Every structure is written in C-alpha cells, then in structure tokens.
Amino acid sequence: MKRSSRNTATEISRRHLLQVGGGAAALATLSLTACDPAEGTGETDGGQGAPDPNRPLESPELTERVDAGDLPPLDERLPVESDRLVAATAALGVYGGVYHGAVADQGDSPWLERMLAYEPLLRYDPNLDEFAQPGTLREITVNDDATVFTLHLREGMKWSDGEPVTADDIMFAVNDVFYNTDIHATPPGLLTTAGEPCEAEKVDDHTVTLTFAQSKGDFIEEASRAANAVSPNLLFYPKHYLEQFLPALNPDAESVAEEAGFGDWTAYWQDRIEWWNNPDRPVLYPWVITDPLNEGNVVHAERNPYYWKVDSGGAQLPYIDRLEFEIIQEEEVMLLKAVNGELDFHSRHFNSDANKPVLAEGRESGGYHFVPVQPTSMNRLVIALNLNHRDEELRGIFQNKDFRVGLSHAIDRQDIIDTAYQRQGEPWQAAPHPDSEFFDEEFAKQYTEFDLDLANSHLDAAGLTEKDSEGFRLRPNGERLRFSIDITNLFPEWAPAADLITQTWAEVGVDAQVNPIERSLFYERKEAAANEHDANIWAGDGGLKIEMLEQRWWFPNGGESNYATQWAEYYVSRGEGENAVEPPEPTLRQMELARQIPLEPDVETQKEIFREILQIAKEQFYVIGIALPTAGYAIAKDNLENIVESFPDSWLHMTPGHINPPTWFFTP
C-alpha cells in the first residue's frame, strides 16, 4: 500500500477509524487504495464467475455514438486502467432501460441528489459501517500528525462534458469558492482547524496537498460523506465551466448575471451550480440532467458517457440508460403510482406505516417488493421552538425551560403513535437510540409523561399565569400567546401528528397553529438571516451509527439546528457571522467541546467529550421529541437487480446513494 513518506505508525482498521471519528493517531498510517493494483482502486466484485468475453463494455447507445464519430472510444473516456473505480456488484448487469421515479417539487431537489449525486471524495460502505473507501479521489495519504493530507486524483478522469478533472478543480474549489467570502462567509469545517483555514498546494496535475495548522482528525471521515450541493465537496466545482461566473476570474461576470436576469453575480452563481436545474453544468455523476426540475412535469437524466466507474468485468457503469422523475406534489397520487407498479424504487414521501398495508396488498399486481430500511434517526418528529425568535418577548418565553417542559408534558405521545404511526414506536425525546452506545434512558424518557396538571404547573412556573376569556394564556404584554408551527409534506404523518399536538396544547392554554408550507419556503424562513419562523417540525436525525457526526439536535452547530440557527451561526463563524448571536454559557461549553473532538487522537477520550455534550443537551432540553422510529421500508420493482437486501437511511450519506444506483439494472 502507498503511504506518505512520513507515515510510520501501526496500521489500524477503517472500522476503528469510524469509531474514533478520525483521530490523528488513527490517520497517521491511512492509505486508501486497494493493495493489489490488479484490483483497480475500488471495491471487489460480488464473487461472479468470469464474465462473458462477448459482453459489451459500454452501452450500445454509446457504441453507436462512437461509430458515428460523436464520442471518443471508451478507453479515452475512462480514467487510465489502474485508476478506474471497480464497483462491487452482486451480479454483472446488462445495459438498457428507463428508470421511473418521482420527485415532489422544486424543494425536493435533495431526492435527486440522493439518487444521482452521491459521489464524495471517499465513500462509506453500503451499510455505513466503514468509511475511507475510494471515491472520486484515487486515494488520500496522511502524515504522522494528521496535518498534511495529500489528495490523489484519478488520471484520465473527465467531467460529463469530456473535459479533464485535474488538481486545478480542487484548487479552484478551495481558493475561489470556499475561501471566497462573497460565497461563504467563513471557510467550511472540512478546511479548517481551530478556525484557521488550511493551505492548498498543487503538486502536479493529479495531486494536491492540504496543510493544516493543527491535527485535522475528522478530515477523512468528513471527506467520506461530503457530496451534496451544500457540503464542502472539493470535486463538485468544474473550474473550466464555473470560473466564468466569478468576478475574480471573469471581469464580465456581473454583466453576464444581469443579462441572465439576476440582480448580482452571487445569485447567478448559486443558480448555475444547482445541477438539477442547470443541464449545462458538468458533473461527475452516472447520469446528467437533460430536462431540469424547474421546467416541465418530468425530470430527465441520461447516462454520462464519461462516467469513471466500471464493474468487475470492466464494463462501464451505469447500466440503466435514462432516469425519469415525474413531478408529483400530492402524496396520494405518488402512492397510487407506487401501488400500480409505476415507480421502480422509492423510499420517502409515501413510505409510511399508514400506507404499508395498501402497498403490501398491491405488491403482486404491481410487481414490486419491500426492502427493509434501518433508521439512523432517533425521532419521528422533533418540535423546535425558535430560541432566537426576533420577537424579544416570545424569544424569552421559548427560552424558558419550564415552558418547553410544560409543552412536552402536554403531548399525548401514545395517542399520536396509535393514530398517526399505526401503533409503531414508543414515546421518546430527541435522545440517542436504544441501540446506540450513547443511549441514556433518562434522557430519552424525560418529560414524556402525558400529564396536563404537570404541564400546567410548568407553564405557570414559566410566568404565564394570566389567561383570556377563552382560557388561553397571555404574554406579559397582555396579548394572547399564539405562534405557528411550520411543517412540510416530507412525511405525511407530520400534519395529523401536529394537529394532535396543538389540540392538547390548547387544553393547557397554548394557542399554536399548524402552518403547512413548501419545503424551499420552510428553509428560507428558518435561515439565520431571515429568522422568520416561530417553531417548526423535522425528523430527529442522528441517533444511531452517526451520533457523533450528526450533532444538530445535541447543540446548535449549523443551519439544520432549527431551534437556534443564529446560535449555530455563532458556532460556525466563531462569532463573526453577520447574524451570529452569542448563546448562553452551557451552549458555549458544548461548542468548545465539539471543537476538541477532531483534535483528540484517543477514541475513548473523544467519546467522553461527546458524552459531556449529550449531558448538557439533556439538561438544556432544547427541543421536544415525540416517538422513537421503527424500521422503515423502501419499495423496489421485482425486475430491478443489484438492490441490497436492506440498508440504513442517513441524509449525511445521501441514502440511497451509498447503495450504488449506478450498479442497478433491469432484467430483460
């Protein structure tokens, strides 16, 4: 195995690296390629016999284009043979077919990212147990103290327009994108230690070094999951295309933006990088968008002729020719299409407990089956009051822990579980899963008892003792205490569950109204700059397998910490952000601890630090949880092959991206 010349310590397993969160001692000897060059720089095959020597190594459609002179031959489109990523497959597939899927609306672009765009620098295995497997990068080598990371690109790798992928693309991403304060107020955590950005240096066309001032113990792990449009993916930005939209590299960028109908270049830049709405933008994905999400009724994507992965027989992936995603905003319509067998695979929107009996009944006629899905989340529904509310008086009420405890006791969780979740689950706060090594039963069960008398006593203790003629509590200014709860249609159970919550809250004099909105507006309202939401509802990500990675509910660490996005901006920007608000001392302590974890080489010490973060979260009780998730399910057509028998679900890893859609194929 290759190693940096400074790597000298004993090698350890990738599993251990995952457990330690990427500690410096672990990283000192990490090499990320296959040991045998004959195996390529990827995963081994699924144990098939020798492939048919007459088997085509590219799609017949592409062969026709090569013969017509429209495309270079396959060997010229792929990386050099030793740098091709060999993807593991249960079976060698056949080319052809059109995948039929669904997407909800413009705000559902993350589903397209999950299906098409899971291409991180390094990868996790499908079960999310091991990371640091080869991805868009061939390998990463690390020095002894994890301060210098050498990134090795794949020679001959190309963007979807045929242009080469080089070190210049990484240098562009670091210096011109992530270090551009007009785009990013502060550099992303992937590129900083103790708030200080790393230095990127181009060694040659296929090699870049990143040098950090201190040990960067979490770099390898984060590089193994950074893949979507809001993550620090260093191979997400094709320089040859995107440089035209930056004033620093194109003096006409501002006028180009104006001609395109945008107010300034930053708005046009954001529009251009969103590949699901911009077919002109080169990507590294198995399929490329031809008909975007923001036009028409169907999103179309066609195979990328320059995709850089092959199967164990040397055949270029993907197997499936085209993907079609019908834009369907109504969950009932999407469900009907699934029952009728019109969707080839799906694992969200309608995949609820309530709909499972209907889907089960339609399996034979629809020609599909269930695929078990293990949740990595710890709650079906988390209520986040806006602790940074722009209304000072309401902010003070929400920040009062007695108020939050009172609301929690005024929720009949068992009724919600019985009614909205088909009796699946148990009352649970936003606390680690019972299978987690960080499980704390007291944390999970605190304030979950449905007791209106106890709720009233806490609400009284919060100072809300005055009521109007209808029995609703009054704010200190004499107005009725009234607020709205933003929800989206991401999960159909959220709306009925929210209605049940507000009904029992009304019994203790709290007037809350459910506000169903489209997902993009949901995000706009909760951003630190806007800060327009009173409260909202989201899933409880991060309870199992990824507890130390997904910390949004343990303390405000980013824009997904819906209860305090301005405190989160304080953390991300180290107090320098335009909308940053300094949090109270316990939260500051959590932020200090979180910054210690990636610098700590000892795994058990890392876990002890994290346990202190959890203990403070337990005491602060930032958010209100409802129910522990049970196993979910996806549906998959019976003729869709290379689908795993089961898989964990995690947004951090863009599920189902990590179960390798490019290897799926249809049986004839």
Side-chain angles (χ1 to χ4, degrees), residues 35 59 103 155 189 316 318 331 376 435 470 488 551 578 590 593 617:
C35 294
S59 163
V103 62
E155 184 179 348
Q316 185 187 33
E331 179 245 321
T376 59
D435 293 336
E470 296 182 63
T488 73
Q551 300 187 20
E578 183 179 352
Q590 289 179 302
L593 293 166

Side-chain angles (χ1 to χ4, degrees), residues 469-497:
S469 59
E470 296 182 63
F472 286 101
R473 295 177 185 270
L474 301 178
R475 295 167 46 159
N477 65 5
E479 296 178 359
R480 177 185 289 190
L481 172 59
R482 177 185 286 119
F483 59 91
S484 63
I485 307 172
D486 292 354
I487 66 169
T488 73
N489 65 351
L490 182 60
F491 293 102
E493 304 96 337
W494 282 355

Side-chain angles (χ1 to χ4, degrees), residues 211-264:
T211 302
F212 293 84
Q214 300 182 41
S215 296
K216 181 62 177 171
D218 61 348
F219 182 84
I220 295 295
E221 192 286 322
E222 191 168 352
S224 302
R225 57 182 164 85
N228 61 31
V230 296
S231 65
N233 188 342
L234 302 184
L235 279 176
F236 181 78
Y237 300 94
K239 179 182 179 182
H240 70 279
Y241 173 75
L242 290 174
E243 63 183 344
Q244 64 183 303
F245 306 113
L246 296 180
L249 300 176
N250 177 16
D252 298 325
E254 198 68 66
S255 60
V256 169
E258 292 176 2
E259 290 174 6
F262 290 81
D264 57 38

Side-chain angles (χ1 to χ4, degrees), residues 386 388-390 522-533 536 558-573 577-581:
N386 183 2
N388 297 152
H389 203 287
R390 59 172 58 186
F522 176 95
Y523 269 84
E524 289 173 9
R525 283 170 55 81
K526 76 184 181 74
E527 288 178 353
N531 196 29
E532 293 176 345
H533 68 298
N536 60 31
E560 297 293 349
S561 296
N562 298 345
Y563 53 97
T565 55
Q566 292 184 334
W567 288 352
E569 183 166 324
Y570 183 92
Y571 172 69
V572 172
S573 69
E578 183 179 352
N579 305 293
V581 173

Side-chain angles (χ1 to χ4, degrees), residues 21 27 110 143 214 258 272 315 379 442 461 477 512 538-539 557 573:
L27 292 176
N143 71 340
Q214 300 182 41
E258 292 176 2
R272 295 293 81 191
N379 216 286
E442 185 177 55
N477 65 5
W538 202 253
N557 74 334
S573 69

Side-chain angles (χ1 to χ4, degrees), residues 41-278:
T41 57
E43 304 155 2
T44 59
D45 64 38
Q48 309 97 342
D52 182 348
N54 298 316
R55 177 174 178 257
L57 299 183
E58 69 178 346
S59 163
E61 290 185 345
L62 297 185
T63 301
E64 291 178 5
R65 293 177 61 185
V66 172
D67 292 342
D70 296 334
L71 275 180
L74 178 62
D75 278 349
E76 297 178 18
R77 303 197 312 269
L78 289 172
V80 297
E81 188 170 359
S82 60
D83 279 2
R84 297 170 191 175
L85 193 151
V86 181
T89 59
L92 297 179
V94 295
Y95 290 116
V98 178
Y99 171 96
H100 296 94
V103 62
D105 49 36
Q106 180 68 20
D108 200 24
S109 60
W111 180 240
L112 298 179
E113 292 188 276
R114 287 169 175 249
M115 285 294 300
L116 278 74
Y118 176 69
E119 299 297 354
L121 301 176
L122 304 171
R123 294 176 63 95
Y124 267 80
D125 74 294
N127 202 44
L128 302 183
D129 287 328
E130 295 186 354
F131 63 92
Q133 300 183 0
T136 55
L137 289 178
R138 176 168 58 85
E139 66 173 339
I140 294 179
T141 50
V142 190
N143 71 340
D144 288 340
D145 59 1
T147 57
V148 181
F149 296 79
T150 304
L151 316 183
H152 301 272
L153 287 84
R154 299 177 183 276
E155 184 179 348
M157 186 179 189
K158 294 177 175 61
W159 295 97
S160 57
D161 61 355
E163 291 295 315
V165 178
T166 72
D168 290 333
D169 293 305
I170 292 181
M171 297 299 294
F172 174 74
V174 174
N175 294 323
D176 297 295
V177 179
F178 293 121
Y179 290 174
N180 186 329
T181 55
D182 290 319
I183 300 175
H184 295 273
T186 57
L190 177 72
L191 299 175
T192 63
T193 51
E196 184 175 346
C198 69
E199 180 180 349
E201 180 182 359
K202 176 182 174 180
V203 177
D204 56 41
D205 283 346
H206 301 102
T207 313
V208 173
T209 60
L210 301 179
T211 302
F212 293 84
Q214 300 182 41
S215 296
K216 181 62 177 171
D218 61 348
F219 182 84
I220 295 295
E221 192 286 322
E222 191 168 352
S224 302
R225 57 182 164 85
N228 61 31
V230 296
S231 65
N233 188 342
L234 302 184
L235 279 176
F236 181 78
Y237 300 94
K239 179 182 179 182
H240 70 279
Y241 173 75
L242 290 174
E243 63 183 344
Q244 64 183 303
F245 306 113
L246 296 180
L249 300 176
N250 177 16
D252 298 325
E254 198 68 66
S255 60
V256 169
E258 292 176 2
E259 290 174 6
F262 290 81
D264 57 38
W265 72 265
T266 58
Y268 195 38
W269 163 268
Q270 184 60 41
D271 177 80
R272 295 293 81 191
I273 67 171
E274 293 179 351
W275 54 267
W276 55 88
N277 286 334
N278 179 14

Side-chain angles (χ1 to χ4, degrees), residues 486-611:
D486 292 354
I487 66 169
T488 73
N489 65 351
L490 182 60
F491 293 102
E493 304 96 337
W494 282 355
D499 285 336
L500 291 172
I501 291 166
T502 57
Q503 288 172 25
T504 51
W505 281 359
E507 294 182 41
V508 293
V510 176
D511 186 357
Q513 305 297 320
V514 180
N515 181 35
I517 54 176
E518 195 269 331
R519 182 170 178 169
S520 59
L521 178 59
F522 176 95
Y523 269 84
E524 289 173 9
R525 283 170 55 81
K526 76 184 181 74
E527 288 178 353
N531 196 29
E532 293 176 345
H533 68 298
D534 296 335
N536 60 31
I537 281 174
W538 202 253
D541 305 80
L544 182 64
K545 288 182 178 280
I546 57 172
E547 305 94 318
M548 292 179 66
L549 310 179
E550 176 59 275
Q551 300 187 20
R552 68 173 80 177
W553 298 118
W554 315 138
F555 79 99
N557 74 334
E560 297 293 349
S561 296
N562 298 345
Y563 53 97
T565 55
Q566 292 184 334
W567 288 352
E569 183 166 324
Y570 183 92
Y571 172 69
V572 172
S573 69
R574 294 182 175 267
E576 300 299 323
E578 183 179 352
N579 305 293
V581 173
E582 183 174 355
E585 182 56 39
T587 309
L588 287 173
R589 174 60 179 164
Q590 289 179 302
M591 294 176 178
E592 176 187 353
L593 293 166
R595 291 194 173 100
Q596 290 178 16
I597 290 177
L599 302 177
E600 175 55 59
D602 180 69
V603 55
E604 293 306 321
T605 303
Q606 286 189 0
K607 291 179 180 179
E608 286 307 307
I609 294 172
F610 180 62
R611 286 189 174 93

